[in-house]
Amino acid sequence: MMDTHQQSRGESIQEVVVARYAGQPEAEMWAELLRNEGIPTAVIQLLPGARLAWGMVPCELRVRSTDAARARGVLGLDPR
């Protein structure tokens, strides 16, 4: 039987959505803020294919589940 410490190391960390934005420029701005706070962040476009003018493609900000609460705090969002 594994102890709790060994189990937690073996579990995978999930990627979760912390925010959605109407355009990539705004999403990238907030992603940069999170990265500056030491939170690895991915900006994911929600529409496939070519980008529309000025990057106006809906996007999600995703972080590791272990960073989600801190990321929401940095962004000024309600923790879930």
Side-chain angles (χ1 to χ4, degrees):
M1 183 167 166
M2 281 198 246
D3 66 29
T4 345
H5 182 68
Q6 286 176 325
Q7 285 177 334
S8 64
R9 278 190 292 155
E11 293 175 6
S12 64
I13 295 175
Q14 300 293 318
E15 194 175 78
V16 297
V17 176
V18 290
R20 290 184 176 88
Y21 298 98
Q24 189 167 357
E26 184 179 12
E28 291 289 353
M29 178 188 72
W30 292 110
E32 185 67 20
L33 176 66
L34 292 177
R35 291 178 190 128
N36 287 339
E37 292 293 322
I39 302 171
T41 307
V43 175
I44 307 298
Q45 290 185 9
L46 298 179
L47 297 176
R51 296 178 190 203
L52 301 174
W54 302 289
M56 294 313 292
V57 175
C59 294
E60 292 178 339
L61 283 189
R62 296 183 187 176
V63 300
R64 297 179 298 202
S65 57
T66 54
D67 291 328
R70 191 161 74 94
R72 287 185 181 104
V74 169
L75 296 172
L77 303 173
D78 290 331
R80 292 183 187 170

